[in-house]
Amino acid sequence: MAGDLVGCQYRQVQRRAHPEIPRTHASQARARRHAAAVDHVLDLLPRKAPGRFRRVDLEGDAWERSMATLEALAYGYTHITGAVFSTDTWQVEVDLLLREGDKYTPIIVSNHRVARPHSTKKTLAVPTHRLGLSEPLEVGYKLRHHAVDGYRLAFAARALEDMGLNSGRGAAIGQDRSRAFFTDTARFDVESALQQPVPSGPRRVKECATCRFWEVCGPELEAVDEISLFLPGDRARPFRERGIHTVQGLIDANLGEPSELAAAWREDIPLLARGPIKVTRADVEVDVDMEAYLDQGAYLWGAWYEGEYHPFVTWEPLGGRAEAENFEAFWSWLMDIRAKAHAEGKTFAAYCYSAHGENHWMRRSAERFHGVSLKEVEEFISSDEWVDLFVEVKRNFAGSGGLGLKVVAPVAGFHWPDEDFDGEEAVNARRDALAGDEDVREQLLEYNRGDVQATAVVREWMDQGAPGVKPLKTARK
């Protein structure tokens, strides 16, 4: 499977050794989201057209569909959905095989953002509902590379090449379900990935947090004090190259900040201060947090102001008037508070914890809906009145387990009502909220309320000097 070549490859070993361990809730939710995305795209694909148009939708389990795929290719169908290629060593599912001339182009559906608008870059794309009916045209987008998507296309291209049917290109339909973006499948080096040896033991990576085998791998790593427990993924590579393979080895090496943080991690100390704590303050302060659903739009703009939560939310489908009016209401409210502060001769600041998402959706909302001036948005987010608190936290602290809001806020004394509800759960919950589940809607509002309130608590705590946080001995002067 293409997914086995990305991230932790030791999953292959654990999957064979522990078939009894069920998939996690998060993994099942991701699978449901992907299945829903595929269903949506299949509904958008053309079903009939003049000329030599023949579509077949394959059904059954993976083996049945792999056999049906070969038959459909032999019959020359123009649109083959639900295709599967399978060998003794790998298997790949292809959401659509599109006939182009006497060759076939694999097309996959992904929940990644596969392309982004760009002012100078161009890439080939075609509307999803015109696949096989219109030639791709150049559009102002830049492709984004996601290894697992690339491997899926590369495996499919390899199978087609063996049959003399490879067009040499593939396409991905990402979070923007309305377009398929084309790419050269030769750019994905699947052969090198296949030649990589399967690891003989586990190492902690990002995916471990939601992996069903962590209950097995975790104790194994702890038994040998594996350095990846503290530095997951490639972060431990520089120390491995120096012969340091355990957390205690890093502590004993006395390498300054890395060794100090390893010791802090060992003692469950999440933060160390880099020096005297400084944080931006203003007379009038607002905390902001946004919730979006994939690349379809932002449905919730939450704010904390004068001790109260102010949600601007729509439960309607995204991309239309409801989302536009919701953003305009939030923007007008925020700018009115700003203008009033200025009129009274007071300073103003709006805070966000890691503002990349908010900046993106402020810009995109202005571009798409035109109810708010893009120039006005750009001027605001580039001003000193829009403060990314994460940047200030990063300047003031070193973290033994990261510096995310869920790490820093508890040190500052704030705790979310539902500690298990996170960003991925919010994405899953959005679908239920859209369907009218009032309990889920309230849960999403409480989650967003927690984030904006936590941002305010962290700022106040920093302004008091971050009491309780020990200094980093190797802090820069």
Side-chain angles (χ1 to χ4, degrees), residues 249-458:
L250 179 55
I251 295 171
D252 295 341
N254 292 319
L255 297 178
E257 183 173 314
S259 296
E260 273 197 74
L261 287 174
W265 177 86
R266 175 77 81 207
E267 298 173 23
D268 291 326
I269 298 173
L271 299 178
L272 295 175
R274 294 190 179 279
I277 306 301
K278 297 179 181 179
V279 64
T280 300
R281 298 303 303 265
D283 298 325
V284 178
E285 298 176 327
V286 181
D287 297 279
V288 175
D289 184 69
M290 171 276 311
E291 306 295 340
Y293 184 70
L294 303 179
D295 205 30
Q296 296 178 19
Y299 64 90
L300 171 57
W301 294 88
W304 188 260
Y305 174 57
E306 294 187 338
E308 293 185 7
Y309 175 55
H310 300 264
F312 296 84
V313 63
T314 175
W315 304 118
E316 298 297 319
L318 296 170
R321 194 62 232 163
E323 184 189 352
E325 291 175 349
N326 188 60
F327 175 68
E328 290 164 19
F330 160 73
W331 184 261
S332 296
W333 176 84
L334 184 64
M335 292 301 103
D336 285 348
I337 294 174
R338 183 192 190 202
K340 182 180 178 182
H342 291 172
E344 295 175 354
K346 297 178 180 178
T347 57
F348 170 86
Y351 301 81
C352 182
Y353 205 92
S354 190
H356 296 296
E358 281 70 18
N359 290 348
H360 171 75
W361 283 113
M362 284 184 188
R363 291 187 177 109
R364 288 285 289 131
S365 298
E367 290 169 344
R368 291 187 303 159
F369 304 128
H370 310 296
V372 175
S373 163
L374 179 59
K375 180 181 178 182
E376 184 182 1
V377 168
E378 293 287 0
E379 288 176 349
F380 174 67
I381 63 179
S382 62
S383 74
D384 293 337
E385 293 181 323
W386 179 234
V387 182
D388 189 334
L389 193 63
F390 173 71
V391 173
E392 305 214 354
V393 165
K394 191 174 181 179
R395 185 171 59 244
N396 282 281
F397 302 100
S400 62
L403 292 171
L405 188 58
K406 287 290 182 76
V407 173
V408 178
V411 182
F414 181 84
H415 298 277
W416 280 258
D418 186 350
E419 295 288 350
D420 294 330
F421 196 82
D422 57 16
E424 184 164 356
E425 287 291 339
V427 174
N428 298 334
R430 163 65 186 173
R431 295 175 57 209
D432 294 330
L434 188 63
D437 191 320
E438 293 294 339
D439 291 338
V440 171
R441 291 179 178 183
E442 185 60 32
Q443 190 175 31
L444 283 167
L445 291 173
E446 283 299 311
Y447 170 68
N448 181 260
R449 174 192 177 109
D451 281 357
V452 290
Q453 190 176 2
T455 305
V457 169
V458 169

Side-chain angles (χ1 to χ4, degrees), residues 157-266:
R158 180 176 173 176
L160 290 167
E161 185 68 31
D162 290 343
M163 293 181 279
L165 297 175
N166 183 24
S167 71
R169 69 181 183 182
I173 301 169
Q175 293 180 9
D176 177 2
R177 311 299 185 204
S178 67
R179 297 193 214 200
F181 293 90
F182 286 75
T183 188
D184 179 1
T185 53
R187 64 193 286 253
F188 305 115
D189 185 11
V190 73
E191 295 299 331
S192 295
L194 284 171
Q195 292 170 12
Q196 293 297 316
V198 176
S200 59
R203 285 184 181 177
R204 182 173 166 243
V205 294
K206 181 180 178 181
E207 293 89 343
C208 290
T210 57
C211 179
R212 58 176 156 162
F213 301 118
W214 179 247
E215 63 183 60
V216 178
C217 295
E220 291 183 27
L221 294 171
E222 291 170 3
V224 297
D225 195 31
E226 228 290 325
I227 193 173
S228 63
L229 287 167
F230 168 56
L231 295 174
D234 290 336
R235 292 174 58 199
R237 180 179 296 173
F239 304 106
R240 294 185 193 280
E241 292 173 350
R242 300 177 64 157
I244 300 172
H245 299 278
T246 66
V247 178
Q248 191 59 47
L250 179 55
I251 295 171
D252 295 341
N254 292 319
L255 297 178
E257 183 173 314
S259 296
E260 273 197 74
L261 287 174
W265 177 86
R266 175 77 81 207

Side-chain angles (χ1 to χ4, degrees), residues 32-67:
R32 288 194 297 271
R33 287 206 308 272
H34 182 259
V38 172
D39 288 344
H40 179 64
V41 168
L42 294 185
D43 286 341
L44 294 176
L45 293 176
R47 292 191 174 275
K48 58 183 179 180
R52 295 185 65 248
F53 177 93
R54 290 192 297 166
R55 170 175 168 171
V56 60
D57 301 311
L58 307 184
E59 298 179 349
D61 60 26
W63 183 86
E64 292 170 329
R65 285 186 288 130
S66 68
M67 294 296 101

